[in-house]
C-alpha cells in the first residue's frame, strides 16, 4: 500500500526503432518518486514483452507480483515459436528478484489477457486474451503458494472470447469483474 511496481514497457523510440525494456521500477507513493530497482537488459529478469496490459498483478497473500505471457520482442529469448509467451514469472519485492516458474500445465501462450488477484481465495485469475488461434475464452487459476496453474472447466459465465478488458476483484462481493473488452470480431463489450 506504500508503493507500486512497474515492469518493462517501451524504452526510447524514434518512430522507426522501438527499444523494448525489461527493467523493474518502484513508485514510492509518499515521496512521489520513481526508482529503478532492476536495470534494463538483465538476463535474470523476464524477457522484454508488450501487450501485457492486465497480465502483471500483485498477490498480497504471498507478497509477490505475478507476470504471465505477452508478445515476444526479444527473438533470442522467445519461449514459443508463435511470438507469444507462455511463461510465468514472480517478482519478490523484498528480495528484489525475479523467478521463472517452470510448469507443464499452464495457459497457452497469449497476450492482452485479463488477470486479477482474488483475495478471498488467495489466487490469481486469468481470463481470455489473444492466442495464436485468435481470441480465447478460457479461465485459469494460479496459486503462488503451490506454484501451480489449473484450468477452470466449469465456466458458465457466457462470456465471449475477450481481450484488452480491464479486470478487477471486489473483496466485498467476492467477484471478479471485466469491463470494456474487445471480442473476436472487434466489438467492444
Amino acid at each position: 500500500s506504500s508503493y507500486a511496481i512497474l515492469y518493462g514497457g517501451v524504452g526510447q523510440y524514434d518512430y522507426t526503432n522501438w527499444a523494448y525494456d525489461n527493467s523493474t521500477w518502484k513508485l514510492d507513493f509518499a515521496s512521489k518518486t520513481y526508482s529503478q530497482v532492476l536495470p534494463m537488459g538483465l538476463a535474470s529478469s523476464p524477457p522484454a514483452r508488450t501487450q501485457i496490459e492486465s497480465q502483471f498483478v500483485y498477490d498480497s497473500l504471498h507478497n509477490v507480483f505475478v507476470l504471465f505471457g505477452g508478445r515476444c520482442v526479444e527473438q533470442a529469448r522467445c519461449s514459443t515459436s508463435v511470438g507469444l509467451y507462455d511463461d510465468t514469472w514472480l517478482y519478490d519485492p523484498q528480495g528484489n528478484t525475479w523467478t521463472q516458474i517452470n510448469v507443464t500445465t499452464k495457459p497457452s501462450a497469449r497476450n492482452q489477457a485479463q488477470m486479477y488477484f482474488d483475495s478471498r481465495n488467495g489466487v490469481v485469475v486469468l481470463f481470455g486474451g489473444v492466442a495464436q488461434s485468435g481470441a480465447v475464452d478460457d479461465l485459469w487459476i494460479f496459486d503462488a503458494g503451490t506454484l501451480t496453474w489449473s484450468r477452470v472447466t466449469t465456466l458458465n459465465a457466457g462470456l465471449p472470447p475477450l481481450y484488452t478488458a480491464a479486470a478487477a476483484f471486489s473483496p466485498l462481493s467476492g467477484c471478479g469483474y471485466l469491463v470494456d473488452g474487445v471480442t473476436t470480431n472487434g466489438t467492444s463489450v
Side-chain angles (χ1 to χ4, degrees):
S1 62
S2 63
Y3 63 89
I5 298 294
L6 292 87
Y7 163 75
V10 177
Q12 302 170 1
Y13 66 94
D14 62 9
Y15 299 104
T16 58
N17 297 309
W18 294 83
Y20 296 100
D21 192 342
N22 76 331
S23 61
T24 305
W25 290 77
K26 181 178 183 178
L27 169 60
D28 183 285
F29 295 147
S31 66
K32 297 180 175 114
T33 59
Y34 285 96
S35 59
Q36 188 178 54
V37 294
L38 292 171
M40 185 169 117
L42 287 181
S44 58
S45 293
R49 61 196 66 212
T50 63
Q51 301 181 1
I52 57 167
E53 293 86 352
S54 297
Q55 290 173 238
F56 182 54
V57 299
Y58 179 60
D59 175 338
S60 59
L61 177 65
H62 301 98
N63 192 30
V64 294
F65 290 81
V66 180
L67 171 68
F68 178 80
R71 180 161 297 284
C72 174
V73 293
E74 287 184 46
Q75 294 304 317
R77 293 181 70 187
C78 287
S79 58
T80 66
S81 61
V82 298
L84 300 172
Y85 287 115
D86 63 352
D87 55 354
T88 305
W89 289 79
L90 301 182
Y91 175 72
D92 171 11
Q94 299 305 110
N96 192 31
T97 56
W98 283 98
T99 303
Q100 185 174 8
I101 306 305
N102 293 308
V103 294
T104 53
T105 301
K106 60 187 171 184
S108 61
R110 67 189 67 201
N111 63 348
Q112 302 180 43
Q114 294 71 233
M115 274 178 37
Y116 60 84
F117 177 65
D118 174 343
S119 59
R120 280 202 180 169
N121 295 298
V123 294
V124 171
V125 177
L126 170 87
F127 175 76
V130 178
Q132 181 181 13
S133 61
V136 292
D137 64 353
D138 53 354
L139 182 70
W140 289 81
I141 304 294
F142 179 73
D143 185 332
T146 60
L147 303 178
T148 57
W149 281 101
S150 55
R151 184 169 182 179
V152 177
T153 57
T154 57
L155 180 64
N156 291 321
L159 290 171
L162 196 63
Y163 60 98
T164 67
F169 178 78
S170 169
L172 295 176
S173 69
C175 294
Y177 295 92
L178 302 174
V179 179
D180 196 29
V182 178
T183 63
T184 303
N185 65 5
T187 305
S188 216
V189 294

